[in-house]
Amino acid sequence: MNGLSSVFNLLAYIAAAVFVLGFLNKVVLYFKTPSPLKIPTTPAPKTSMGVVVRLIPEVLFFRSLLKGGITEKILWLGGWVFHVCFLLIVLRHLRFFTYPVPECIMFFQQIGIWAGLVFPLALLILIVRRFLNDRLATITLFADYFVLGLIIAIGSTGLLLKYFARTNLVDVKAFILGLLTLSPVQLPDSPMFLIHFSLVLILLVYFPFSKLMHAWGILISPTRAQVDNPREVRHVTPWA
Amino acid sequence: MADFKVPELTGEIITPKVTLGATSGIKPFPANAELMGKVGFPAEKSADWKVKFLAKMGDILKKYKSVRVFLDICVRCGACTDKCHYYLSTGDPRNMPVYRQELMRSVYRKYFTTSGKLFGGLAAARELSDELLEEWITYFYQCSECRRCSVFCPYGIDTAEITMAAREILDSIGIGSKYNLAIINKAETIGNNLGMPGPALRNTLDFVEEEIQEKTGVDVKLPLDVEGADILLVTPSADFFAEPHIFSLEGYAKVFHQAGVSWTLSSHASEGGNFGMFIGNYNHMKTINKRIWDAARDLKVKRVIAGECGHAWRVLYSFSNTLNGPFDFLDPNYNVPQHICDYTLDLVKKGAIKLDKTANDDFSVTFHDSCNVARASRIGNEPGGQFTIPRELINAACNKFVDMAEETIGERTFCCGGGGGVLTDELIEVRVKGAMPRMQALKRVKDSNGVNFFALICAICKAQFTKIFPYYGIEMEEVGGIHQLVGNAIVLGAKEGV
C-alpha cells in the first residue's frame, strides 16, 4: 500500500469518527438541555402518538414550508427534490458497502442514476434563489454557499465518475470494504475518485458543527415535539 | 397626528423591499437604576458587562433547549422573512425573524462554537460591542413574541424564545425596559399592573355595578375577596378601568349573575397579565403567577377562570402548573384553569344562559385571533378550540359575523403590533406600522361586509387597537371584547322554567 493510500485510509477513519462522535455529542447535548416550560406551537397534539403524527409530514414532506407563499413553494420544490435525491443516491451507493449486495439495493441502481442527474438542478434552485431574492440575499452567509457548493461538487464529481472519468469499480468497492472491515487496501487509481471521496470526507467532518444538524433538530424542536397537556400533566425540570 | 408615515389602507399586504436601518432609531426607554434595583437587576451597565453578558448567555444555553437548538439548526431558508408584521410594515431587515435571531446567533458563534472561534468573520461570528448592544436593545424590543414565524419555519424555530432570552441577558447586565419592569414591579408589590390598591379596586367595581344597574335595572354584583365562592375570576387589570375592556367585565359579571353561581375577584391577584414572560424571566413569572395560585387557595374557591387576556392565558394555561404546582385543590371536574369563553359557551349550550342575538344587530362582527391564545395555548378540550370556541360564542351572541382572510386568522393570525411588552408610547411608530397586516385584512371585510365591530379576547390587543385605529381613520369604539357582545345579548332576569 502506497503512502497516499495510507493517508486516505487514515483520513477516512478520522472523518467517520468526527462525524459519528460529533453528531452523538450534539444529540446528547440537546437531550441533556432541559425545556423548562411547555412551548408547543399550537394547535398541538394532546398525546405522544399525536406528536409522532405531527412530525411525520414535517420530516417527509416539509409540511410547514407548504404553509408559506410562492417563495416557500419554490424552496420546497428545490429542497424536497434535493433531499429525496440525496437519499436515493446514498441508497444506490450502498452497493459499494455490501457484499453480497442485497436485492433491495439493486432496486435503487437505476433510480439512483436519475436522482444523480436531477440532484444538481435542485441544488441550483437552492443557490439561485439566494441571489435573486433581496431578503434571502440579506440573510445568506458564506456558510450557506459553502455547503451548497460542497454538495454540488460532490454530486458533479460523482456524475463525472459515472460518465467521463470512469474508474475501476472493483477497486472502489475493494477500497470501501477494506475500510469497513478494518483491513485497509490500496486506493483506486483515479484522481477523480480521490476528489469525490475527499469532498465527502469534508462534508462528514463539517456536518456536526453546522446548520446541517437540522437533520436531528427537526425531531426534537420543542415547539413541534412537545405534547399539549400542561393542565393535565405537570411538566417539571430540575433547575426550575 | 403622526410624525411618520402611516401605511395606506388598501386591503393588500405587499412584502416590501429590504430597507437597511428603517427602524434603527426606535428603542424602549431604559429603566432607571432605582427601578432596576427594585426588580432585582443590576442598576446599570458596568465596565465588565461583557463577562456578565456571556455568563448569562452560557447559563441560558444550558437551561433552555429551545434557545440552544434554535441557534444551532436554522438553515436560513428564508421562510420566515416575510412573516413578521414588523418586517412587512417597515422593510427593516432586522425585523425578519431569522435576521433578528442573527443578532444573537452571531454572538453564539463567536463565543460558544468551535467554528466561530476558529474562523471568526468567515463563520459570521461577531464580537460583543456597544454597537451590537444597541442593535439588541432596538430590535429585541421590536419583536412582539407573537410566534407567527414559528408556524412557517420547517423546524418550528420560535423567535419569541430568542427575544425572551435576549431581554433576560440585557436585564442581567443592567439594561432594562422601563415599561416592562415598572409593570412587573407593580404587579409584584401591589397585585396588578396598574398599581391599583384594593380599596380603589372596590370603588371601581361599585361603579361597574351602578353602570349595569342603570343600563339594565338588574342588580348584578361584582364580588371582591369573597371566601368560599365557587369561582375565582382572574382578569387583566385593564378590565377594571379601560375602555372597551370594562364592557367585557360587565359581560363576565352578567354571565355569572345569570348562571346563578357564586364568584369573586381577588385584590391579591387582581391581575391576569404576567409581564415576567415578556422579559423571559422565569422567577418574575413565577412570583407573579403565585399570587393567583395563593388567592385561589386562600379564598377556597373550586374553580379558576381567566378573563379576556392573551398572554395571561398562555401563562395560566401552559406555565402555571409548572411554575407553582397543580391547582389540585380545585374541582377536577372542570378544566383548571378554564378560559371564560369556554365557560360561557358551555352555559349557552346547556341553556343555562340565554343570548338575544338581535341586541347586537347594529354590529357586523369579525374576530381577531390573539397570538398567545392562537399559537401558544388552547381553549377547551380539543386542539384548535382556541379558534372554534370564541367564534361559536360570537355566533351565539350576534347575527352578523364574518372572518377575515384565511391567511390572516387562526394559527396564521397577525399580531396587533403591541404585544410582548412593546405596548408603550415611545414605540408608537413600530406599533402603528406593525398593525398594518391586520388592518389590511380588516379593511377587506369592512369593504365587503361592513364590519364595524372588531372582537377580541386580549387586553393588550384591545389597548393597542383603540390607540392605533384612529391613525388608520377608524373609530376606536369599533374595538371590543367578546364578552361585550355577550353582555349586550344576555337575557337577564328570571329564567324560563325556573
Side-chain angles (χ1 to χ4, degrees), chain B residues 182-198 201 234-238 240 266-274 287-289 291-292 295:
Chain B
I183 283 181
I184 286 170
N185 185 41
K186 277 185 265 186
E188 289 178 357
T189 54
I190 301 169
N192 54 63
N193 294 353
L194 298 170
M196 182 191 281
L201 180 56
V234 179
T235 202
S237 56
F240 300 130
S266 157
S267 54
H268 183 68
S270 47
E271 177 62 63
N274 192 330
T287 305
I288 294 170
N289 191 69
R291 298 181 78 96
I292 297 171

PDB file of all heavy atoms in Angstrom, chain B residues 182-198 201 234-238 240 266-274 287-289 291-292 295:
ATOM      1  N   ALA B 182     -41.448  48.412  35.201  1.00  0.00           N
ATOM      2  CA  ALA B 182     -42.351  49.156  36.091  1.00  0.00           C
ATOM      3  C   ALA B 182     -43.620  48.331  36.319  1.00  0.00           C
ATOM      4  O   ALA B 182     -44.139  48.257  37.439  1.00  0.00           O
ATOM      5  CB  ALA B 182     -42.683  50.513  35.487  1.00  0.00           C
ATOM      6  N   ILE B 183     -44.106  47.711  35.280  1.00  0.00           N
ATOM      7  CA  ILE B 183     -45.327  46.906  35.400  1.00  0.00           C
ATOM      8  C   ILE B 183     -45.070  45.675  36.273  1.00  0.00           C
ATOM      9  O   ILE B 183     -45.883  45.331  37.144  1.00  0.00           O
ATOM     10  CB  ILE B 183     -45.843  46.520  33.995  1.00  0.00           C
ATOM     11  CG1 ILE B 183     -46.542  47.737  33.392  1.00  0.00           C
ATOM     12  CG2 ILE B 183     -46.768  45.314  34.061  1.00  0.00           C
ATOM     13  CD1 ILE B 183     -47.122  47.531  32.034  1.00  0.00           C
ATOM     14  N   ILE B 184     -43.938  45.036  36.071  1.00  0.00           N
ATOM     15  CA  ILE B 184     -43.605  43.867  36.892  1.00  0.00           C
ATOM     16  C   ILE B 184     -43.530  44.266  38.364  1.00  0.00           C
ATOM     17  O   ILE B 184     -44.062  43.583  39.241  1.00  0.00           O
ATOM     18  CB  ILE B 184     -42.278  43.241  36.409  1.00  0.00           C
ATOM     19  CG1 ILE B 184     -42.520  42.495  35.099  1.00  0.00           C
ATOM     20  CG2 ILE B 184     -41.681  42.305  37.463  1.00  0.00           C
ATOM     21  CD1 ILE B 184     -41.269  42.038  34.396  1.00  0.00           C
ATOM     22  N   ASN B 185     -42.916  45.413  38.619  1.00  0.00           N
ATOM     23  CA  ASN B 185     -42.788  45.873  39.995  1.00  0.00           C
ATOM     24  C   ASN B 185     -44.162  46.128  40.627  1.00  0.00           C
ATOM     25  O   ASN B 185     -44.415  45.734  41.773  1.00  0.00           O
ATOM     26  CB  ASN B 185     -41.931  47.150  40.027  1.00  0.00           C
ATOM     27  CG  ASN B 185     -41.651  47.620  41.441  1.00  0.00           C
ATOM     28  OD1 ASN B 185     -41.387  46.797  42.322  1.00  0.00           O
ATOM     29  ND2 ASN B 185     -41.738  48.908  41.672  1.00  0.00           N
ATOM     30  N   LYS B 186     -45.073  46.735  39.870  1.00  0.00           N
ATOM     31  CA  LYS B 186     -46.414  46.998  40.395  1.00  0.00           C
ATOM     32  C   LYS B 186     -47.176  45.698  40.630  1.00  0.00           C
ATOM     33  O   LYS B 186     -47.856  45.538  41.654  1.00  0.00           O
ATOM     34  CB  LYS B 186     -47.191  47.914  39.442  1.00  0.00           C
ATOM     35  CG  LYS B 186     -46.859  49.383  39.650  1.00  0.00           C
ATOM     36  CD  LYS B 186     -47.720  50.281  38.779  1.00  0.00           C
ATOM     37  CE  LYS B 186     -47.004  50.616  37.493  1.00  0.00           C
ATOM     38  NZ  LYS B 186     -47.695  51.590  36.658  1.00  0.00           N
ATOM     39  N   ALA B 187     -47.055  44.773  39.697  1.00  0.00           N
ATOM     40  CA  ALA B 187     -47.777  43.505  39.846  1.00  0.00           C
ATOM     41  C   ALA B 187     -47.297  42.764  41.094  1.00  0.00           C
ATOM     42  O   ALA B 187     -48.092  42.168  41.821  1.00  0.00           O
ATOM     43  CB  ALA B 187     -47.580  42.637  38.601  1.00  0.00           C
ATOM     44  N   GLU B 188     -45.995  42.826  41.349  1.00  0.00           N
ATOM     45  CA  GLU B 188     -45.439  42.057  42.470  1.00  0.00           C
ATOM     46  C   GLU B 188     -45.666  42.733  43.819  1.00  0.00           C
ATOM     47  O   GLU B 188     -45.774  42.068  44.841  1.00  0.00           O
ATOM     48  CB  GLU B 188     -43.941  41.813  42.245  1.00  0.00           C
ATOM     49  CG  GLU B 188     -43.690  40.813  41.128  1.00  0.00           C
ATOM     50  CD  GLU B 188     -42.216  40.574  40.835  1.00  0.00           C
ATOM     51  OE1 GLU B 188     -41.359  41.228  41.459  1.00  0.00           O
ATOM     52  OE2 GLU B 188     -41.937  39.729  39.960  1.00  0.00           O
ATOM     53  N   THR B 189     -45.749  44.072  43.833  1.00  0.00           N
ATOM     54  CA  THR B 189     -45.894  44.753  45.115  1.00  0.00           C
ATOM     55  C   THR B 189     -47.344  45.095  45.433  1.00  0.00           C
ATOM     56  O   THR B 189     -47.757  45.052  46.595  1.00  0.00           O
ATOM     57  CB  THR B 189     -45.056  46.051  45.149  1.00  0.00           C
ATOM     58  OG1 THR B 189     -45.415  46.851  44.011  1.00  0.00           O
ATOM     59  CG2 THR B 189     -43.574  45.741  45.106  1.00  0.00           C
ATOM     60  N   ILE B 190     -48.125  45.429  44.396  1.00  0.00           N
ATOM     61  CA  ILE B 190     -49.497  45.864  44.666  1.00  0.00           C
ATOM     62  C   ILE B 190     -50.516  44.802  44.242  1.00  0.00           C
ATOM     63  O   ILE B 190     -51.573  44.670  44.839  1.00  0.00           O
ATOM     64  CB  ILE B 190     -49.780  47.211  43.968  1.00  0.00           C
ATOM     65  CG1 ILE B 190     -48.774  48.249  44.485  1.00  0.00           C
ATOM     66  CG2 ILE B 190     -51.211  47.678  44.236  1.00  0.00           C
ATOM     67  CD1 ILE B 190     -48.761  49.538  43.721  1.00  0.00           C
ATOM     68  N   GLY B 191     -50.175  44.022  43.230  1.00  0.00           N
ATOM     69  CA  GLY B 191     -51.094  42.949  42.838  1.00  0.00           C
ATOM     70  C   GLY B 191     -51.649  43.096  41.440  1.00  0.00           C
ATOM     71  O   GLY B 191     -52.297  42.194  40.928  1.00  0.00           O
ATOM     72  N   ASN B 192     -51.404  44.246  40.825  1.00  0.00           N
ATOM     73  CA  ASN B 192     -51.819  44.368  39.429  1.00  0.00           C
ATOM     74  C   ASN B 192     -50.925  45.351  38.680  1.00  0.00           C
ATOM     75  O   ASN B 192     -50.213  46.155  39.294  1.00  0.00           O
ATOM     76  CB  ASN B 192     -53.294  44.770  39.315  1.00  0.00           C
ATOM     77  CG  ASN B 192     -53.605  46.036  40.096  1.00  0.00           C
ATOM     78  OD1 ASN B 192     -53.082  47.103  39.801  1.00  0.00           O
ATOM     79  ND2 ASN B 192     -54.435  45.896  41.126  1.00  0.00           N
ATOM     80  N   ASN B 193     -50.996  45.264  37.362  1.00  0.00           N
ATOM     81  CA  ASN B 193     -50.098  46.044  36.507  1.00  0.00           C
ATOM     82  C   ASN B 193     -50.349  47.538  36.595  1.00  0.00           C
ATOM     83  O   ASN B 193     -49.501  48.353  36.242  1.00  0.00           O
ATOM     84  CB  ASN B 193     -50.250  45.599  35.052  1.00  0.00           C
ATOM     85  CG  ASN B 193     -49.768  44.171  34.851  1.00  0.00           C
ATOM     86  OD1 ASN B 193     -49.218  43.576  35.764  1.00  0.00           O
ATOM     87  ND2 ASN B 193     -49.971  43.636  33.661  1.00  0.00           N
ATOM     88  N   LEU B 194     -51.551  47.917  37.046  1.00  0.00           N
ATOM     89  CA  LEU B 194     -51.884  49.332  37.117  1.00  0.00           C
ATOM     90  C   LEU B 194     -51.447  49.950  38.430  1.00  0.00           C
ATOM     91  O   LEU B 194     -51.438  51.165  38.579  1.00  0.00           O
ATOM     92  CB  LEU B 194     -53.397  49.519  36.993  1.00  0.00           C
ATOM     93  CG  LEU B 194     -53.989  49.056  35.686  1.00  0.00           C
ATOM     94  CD1 LEU B 194     -55.497  49.070  35.779  1.00  0.00           C
ATOM     95  CD2 LEU B 194     -53.518  49.956  34.562  1.00  0.00           C
ATOM     96  N   GLY B 195     -51.134  49.104  39.395  1.00  0.00           N
ATOM     97  CA  GLY B 195     -50.798  49.626  40.711  1.00  0.00           C
ATOM     98  C   GLY B 195     -52.034  50.126  41.443  1.00  0.00           C
ATOM     99  O   GLY B 195     -51.994  51.098  42.194  1.00  0.00           O
ATOM    100  N   MET B 196     -53.163  49.456  41.211  1.00  0.00           N
ATOM    101  CA  MET B 196     -54.422  49.859  41.818  1.00  0.00           C
ATOM    102  C   MET B 196     -54.623  49.083  43.130  1.00  0.00           C
ATOM    103  O   MET B 196     -54.781  47.867  43.125  1.00  0.00           O
ATOM    104  CB  MET B 196     -55.556  49.521  40.844  1.00  0.00           C
ATOM    105  CG  MET B 196     -56.942  49.926  41.289  1.00  0.00           C
ATOM    106  SD  MET B 196     -58.168  49.171  40.180  1.00  0.00           S
ATOM    107  CE  MET B 196     -58.077  50.276  38.791  1.00  0.00           C
ATOM    108  N   PRO B 197     -54.616  49.776  44.285  1.00  0.00           N
ATOM    109  CA  PRO B 197     -54.758  49.055  45.546  1.00  0.00           C
ATOM    110  C   PRO B 197     -56.199  48.560  45.774  1.00  0.00           C
ATOM    111  O   PRO B 197     -57.130  49.021  45.101  1.00  0.00           O
ATOM    112  CB  PRO B 197     -54.379  50.095  46.594  1.00  0.00           C
ATOM    113  CG  PRO B 197     -54.559  51.410  45.929  1.00  0.00           C
ATOM    114  CD  PRO B 197     -54.425  51.214  44.465  1.00  0.00           C
ATOM    115  N   GLY B 198     -56.360  47.650  46.723  1.00  0.00           N
ATOM    116  CA  GLY B 198     -57.649  47.008  46.987  1.00  0.00           C
ATOM    117  C   GLY B 198     -58.837  47.961  47.091  1.00  0.00           C
ATOM    118  O   GLY B 198     -59.849  47.764  46.397  1.00  0.00           O
ATOM    119  N   LEU B 201     -59.882  49.351  43.867  1.00  0.00           N
ATOM    120  CA  LEU B 201     -60.500  48.308  43.051  1.00  0.00           C
ATOM    121  C   LEU B 201     -61.974  48.153  43.436  1.00  0.00           C
ATOM    122  O   LEU B 201     -62.852  48.061  42.576  1.00  0.00           O
ATOM    123  CB  LEU B 201     -59.736  46.999  43.252  1.00  0.00           C
ATOM    124  CG  LEU B 201     -60.231  45.784  42.479  1.00  0.00           C
ATOM    125  CD1 LEU B 201     -60.274  46.077  40.983  1.00  0.00           C
ATOM    126  CD2 LEU B 201     -59.320  44.581  42.741  1.00  0.00           C
ATOM    127  N   VAL B 234     -59.882  35.622  37.276  1.00  0.00           N
ATOM    128  CA  VAL B 234     -58.626  36.362  37.165  1.00  0.00           C
ATOM    129  C   VAL B 234     -58.615  37.026  35.805  1.00  0.00           C
ATOM    130  O   VAL B 234     -58.730  36.346  34.786  1.00  0.00           O
ATOM    131  CB  VAL B 234     -57.418  35.426  37.304  1.00  0.00           C
ATOM    132  CG1 VAL B 234     -56.134  36.214  37.163  1.00  0.00           C
ATOM    133  CG2 VAL B 234     -57.453  34.703  38.625  1.00  0.00           C
ATOM    134  N   THR B 235     -58.511  38.331  35.814  1.00  0.00           N
ATOM    135  CA  THR B 235     -58.662  39.035  34.546  1.00  0.00           C
ATOM    136  C   THR B 235     -57.617  40.145  34.477  1.00  0.00           C
ATOM    137  O   THR B 235     -57.098  40.568  35.503  1.00  0.00           O
ATOM    138  CB  THR B 235     -60.127  39.556  34.460  1.00  0.00           C
ATOM    139  OG1 THR B 235     -60.478  39.778  33.109  1.00  0.00           O
ATOM    140  CG2 THR B 235     -60.338  40.806  35.287  1.00  0.00           C
ATOM    141  N   PRO B 236     -57.259  40.587  33.280  1.00  0.00           N
ATOM    142  CA  PRO B 236     -56.267  41.666  33.208  1.00  0.00           C
ATOM    143  C   PRO B 236     -56.816  42.923  33.881  1.00  0.00           C
ATOM    144  O   PRO B 236     -58.010  43.221  33.758  1.00  0.00           O
ATOM    145  CB  PRO B 236     -56.075  41.876  31.708  1.00  0.00           C
ATOM    146  CG  PRO B 236     -57.279  41.287  31.069  1.00  0.00           C
ATOM    147  CD  PRO B 236     -57.696  40.157  31.949  1.00  0.00           C
ATOM    148  N   SER B 237     -55.967  43.648  34.573  1.00  0.00           N
ATOM    149  CA  SER B 237     -56.457  44.790  35.350  1.00  0.00           C
ATOM    150  C   SER B 237     -57.006  45.897  34.458  1.00  0.00           C
ATOM    151  O   SER B 237     -57.769  46.740  34.921  1.00  0.00           O
ATOM    152  CB  SER B 237     -55.354  45.321  36.262  1.00  0.00           C
ATOM    153  OG  SER B 237     -54.209  45.666  35.512  1.00  0.00           O
ATOM    154  N   ALA B 238     -56.644  45.900  33.202  1.00  0.00           N
ATOM    155  CA  ALA B 238     -57.225  46.891  32.284  1.00  0.00           C
ATOM    156  C   ALA B 238     -58.740  46.760  32.261  1.00  0.00           C
ATOM    157  O   ALA B 238     -59.453  47.741  32.030  1.00  0.00           O
ATOM    158  CB  ALA B 238     -56.656  46.697  30.884  1.00  0.00           C
ATOM    159  N   PHE B 240     -60.615  46.656  34.599  1.00  0.00           N
ATOM    160  CA  PHE B 240     -61.225  47.416  35.691  1.00  0.00           C
ATOM    161  C   PHE B 240     -61.388  48.905  35.386  1.00  0.00           C
ATOM    162  O   PHE B 240     -62.027  49.616  36.134  1.00  0.00           O
ATOM    163  CB  PHE B 240     -60.397  47.261  36.978  1.00  0.00           C
ATOM    164  CG  PHE B 240     -60.280  45.839  37.431  1.00  0.00           C
ATOM    165  CD1 PHE B 240     -59.052  45.284  37.741  1.00  0.00           C
ATOM    166  CD2 PHE B 240     -61.413  45.031  37.536  1.00  0.00           C
ATOM    167  CE1 PHE B 240     -58.938  43.965  38.153  1.00  0.00           C
ATOM    168  CE2 PHE B 240     -61.311  43.711  37.951  1.00  0.00           C
ATOM    169  CZ  PHE B 240     -60.079  43.170  38.254  1.00  0.00           C
ATOM    170  N   SER B 266     -60.204  38.825  43.125  1.00  0.00           N
ATOM    171  CA  SER B 266     -59.283  38.870  44.264  1.00  0.00           C
ATOM    172  C   SER B 266     -58.458  40.150  44.199  1.00  0.00           C
ATOM    173  O   SER B 266     -57.979  40.527  43.125  1.00  0.00           O
ATOM    174  CB  SER B 266     -58.353  37.656  44.210  1.00  0.00           C
ATOM    175  OG  SER B 266     -57.173  37.923  44.938  1.00  0.00           O
ATOM    176  N   SER B 267     -58.328  40.824  45.352  1.00  0.00           N
ATOM    177  CA  SER B 267     -57.479  42.020  45.345  1.00  0.00           C
ATOM    178  C   SER B 267     -56.003  41.633  45.391  1.00  0.00           C
ATOM    179  O   SER B 267     -55.137  42.377  44.962  1.00  0.00           O
ATOM    180  CB  SER B 267     -57.822  42.936  46.521  1.00  0.00           C
ATOM    181  OG  SER B 267     -57.749  42.209  47.731  1.00  0.00           O
ATOM    182  N   HIS B 268     -55.740  40.425  45.900  1.00  0.00           N
ATOM    183  CA  HIS B 268     -54.355  39.945  45.935  1.00  0.00           C
ATOM    184  C   HIS B 268     -53.886  39.568  44.530  1.00  0.00           C
ATOM    185  O   HIS B 268     -52.748  39.839  44.147  1.00  0.00           O
ATOM    186  CB  HIS B 268     -54.244  38.730  46.860  1.00  0.00           C
ATOM    187  CG  HIS B 268     -52.846  38.212  47.010  1.00  0.00           C
ATOM    188  ND1 HIS B 268     -51.854  38.922  47.649  1.00  0.00           N
ATOM    189  CD2 HIS B 268     -52.275  37.054  46.589  1.00  0.00           C
ATOM    190  CE1 HIS B 268     -50.726  38.221  47.610  1.00  0.00           C
ATOM    191  NE2 HIS B 268     -50.956  37.091  46.976  1.00  0.00           N
ATOM    192  N   ALA B 269     -54.770  38.951  43.775  1.00  0.00           N
ATOM    193  CA  ALA B 269     -54.447  38.546  42.398  1.00  0.00           C
ATOM    194  C   ALA B 269     -55.371  39.291  41.448  1.00  0.00           C
ATOM    195  O   ALA B 269     -56.139  38.691  40.706  1.00  0.00           O
ATOM    196  CB  ALA B 269     -54.595  37.041  42.238  1.00  0.00           C
ATOM    197  N   SER B 270     -55.278  40.616  41.483  1.00  0.00           N
ATOM    198  CA  SER B 270     -56.170  41.432  40.653  1.00  0.00           C
ATOM    199  C   SER B 270     -55.548  41.673  39.285  1.00  0.00           C
ATOM    200  O   SER B 270     -55.747  42.718  38.686  1.00  0.00           O
ATOM    201  CB  SER B 270     -56.451  42.751  41.361  1.00  0.00           C
ATOM    202  OG  SER B 270     -55.243  43.307  41.844  1.00  0.00           O
ATOM    203  N   GLU B 271     -54.789  40.698  38.831  1.00  0.00           N
ATOM    204  CA  GLU B 271     -54.120  40.848  37.543  1.00  0.00           C
ATOM    205  C   GLU B 271     -53.938  39.477  36.908  1.00  0.00           C
ATOM    206  O   GLU B 271     -53.386  38.580  37.528  1.00  0.00           O
ATOM    207  CB  GLU B 271     -52.741  41.491  37.734  1.00  0.00           C
ATOM    208  CG  GLU B 271     -51.933  41.617  36.464  1.00  0.00           C
ATOM    209  CD  GLU B 271     -52.619  42.516  35.446  1.00  0.00           C
ATOM    210  OE1 GLU B 271     -52.801  43.711  35.725  1.00  0.00           O
ATOM    211  OE2 GLU B 271     -53.008  42.016  34.366  1.00  0.00           O
ATOM    212  N   GLY B 272     -54.421  39.332  35.677  1.00  0.00           N
ATOM    213  CA  GLY B 272     -54.171  38.097  34.946  1.00  0.00           C
ATOM    214  C   GLY B 272     -52.833  38.167  34.220  1.00  0.00           C
ATOM    215  O   GLY B 272     -52.142  37.172  34.050  1.00  0.00           O
ATOM    216  N   GLY B 273     -52.480  39.376  33.787  1.00  0.00           N
ATOM    217  CA  GLY B 273     -51.272  39.545  32.980  1.00  0.00           C
ATOM    218  C   GLY B 273     -50.011  39.179  33.743  1.00  0.00           C
ATOM    219  O   GLY B 273     -49.983  39.241  34.969  1.00  0.00           O
ATOM    220  N   ASN B 274     -48.993  38.779  33.007  1.00  0.00           N
ATOM    221  CA  ASN B 274     -47.738  38.390  33.649  1.00  0.00           C
ATOM    222  C   ASN B 274     -46.577  38.811  32.760  1.00  0.00           C
ATOM    223  O   ASN B 274     -46.152  38.062  31.872  1.00  0.00           O
ATOM    224  CB  ASN B 274     -47.734  36.877  33.885  1.00  0.00           C
ATOM    225  CG  ASN B 274     -46.600  36.437  34.795  1.00  0.00           C
ATOM    226  OD1 ASN B 274     -45.543  37.066  34.823  1.00  0.00           O
ATOM    227  ND2 ASN B 274     -46.815  35.370  35.531  1.00  0.00           N
ATOM    228  N   THR B 287     -43.187  34.411  40.462  1.00  0.00           N
ATOM    229  CA  THR B 287     -43.645  35.264  41.569  1.00  0.00           C
ATOM    230  C   THR B 287     -45.022  35.854  41.273  1.00  0.00           C
ATOM    231  O   THR B 287     -45.906  35.869  42.133  1.00  0.00           O
ATOM    232  CB  THR B 287     -42.640  36.419  41.790  1.00  0.00           C
ATOM    233  OG1 THR B 287     -41.352  35.856  41.999  1.00  0.00           O
ATOM    234  CG2 THR B 287     -43.034  37.269  42.975  1.00  0.00           C
ATOM    235  N   ILE B 288     -45.176  36.355  40.049  1.00  0.00           N
ATOM    236  CA  ILE B 288     -46.454  36.990  39.696  1.00  0.00           C
ATOM    237  C   ILE B 288     -47.560  35.939  39.648  1.00  0.00           C
ATOM    238  O   ILE B 288     -48.668  36.148  40.147  1.00  0.00           O
ATOM    239  CB  ILE B 288     -46.324  37.745  38.352  1.00  0.00           C
ATOM    240  CG1 ILE B 288     -45.351  38.916  38.507  1.00  0.00           C
ATOM    241  CG2 ILE B 288     -47.686  38.228  37.864  1.00  0.00           C
ATOM    242  CD1 ILE B 288     -44.949  39.583  37.208  1.00  0.00           C
ATOM    243  N   ASN B 289     -47.245  34.783  39.065  1.00  0.00           N
ATOM    244  CA  ASN B 289     -48.266  33.737  38.962  1.00  0.00           C
ATOM    245  C   ASN B 289     -48.673  33.187  40.328  1.00  0.00           C
ATOM    246  O   ASN B 289     -49.817  32.770  40.532  1.00  0.00           O
ATOM    247  CB  ASN B 289     -47.757  32.600  38.073  1.00  0.00           C
ATOM    248  CG  ASN B 289     -48.851  31.621  37.720  1.00  0.00           C
ATOM    249  OD1 ASN B 289     -49.762  31.954  36.967  1.00  0.00           O
ATOM    250  ND2 ASN B 289     -48.799  30.424  38.294  1.00  0.00           N
ATOM    251  N   ARG B 291     -49.306  34.681  42.972  1.00  0.00           N
ATOM    252  CA  ARG B 291     -50.403  35.441  43.588  1.00  0.00           C
ATOM    253  C   ARG B 291     -51.751  34.825  43.217  1.00  0.00           C
ATOM    254  O   ARG B 291     -52.677  34.793  44.026  1.00  0.00           O
ATOM    255  CB  ARG B 291     -50.348  36.908  43.149  1.00  0.00           C
ATOM    256  CG  ARG B 291     -49.083  37.630  43.568  1.00  0.00           C
ATOM    257  CD  ARG B 291     -49.104  39.080  43.130  1.00  0.00           C
ATOM    258  NE  ARG B 291     -49.939  39.894  44.006  1.00  0.00           N
ATOM    259  CZ  ARG B 291     -49.465  40.598  45.030  1.00  0.00           C
ATOM    260  NH1 ARG B 291     -48.191  40.598  45.299  1.00  0.00           N
ATOM    261  NH2 ARG B 291     -50.277  41.319  45.774  1.00  0.00           N
ATOM    262  N   ILE B 292     -51.845  34.350  41.995  1.00  0.00           N
ATOM    263  CA  ILE B 292     -53.112  33.738  41.548  1.00  0.00           C
ATOM    264  C   ILE B 292     -53.328  32.411  42.282  1.00  0.00           C
ATOM    265  O   ILE B 292     -54.409  32.126  42.799  1.00  0.00           O
ATOM    266  CB  ILE B 292     -53.086  33.516  40.018  1.00  0.00           C
ATOM    267  CG1 ILE B 292     -52.988  34.865  39.304  1.00  0.00           C
ATOM    268  CG2 ILE B 292     -54.320  32.740  39.567  1.00  0.00           C
ATOM    269  CD1 ILE B 292     -52.751  34.770  37.818  1.00  0.00           C
ATOM    270  N   ALA B 295     -54.189  33.143  45.867  1.00  0.00           N
ATOM    271  CA  ALA B 295     -55.539  33.694  46.011  1.00  0.00           C
ATOM    272  C   ALA B 295     -56.575  32.577  45.889  1.00  0.00           C
ATOM    273  O   ALA B 295     -57.541  32.506  46.652  1.00  0.00           O
ATOM    274  CB  ALA B 295     -55.792  34.773  44.964  1.00  0.00           C
TER     275      ALA B 295
END
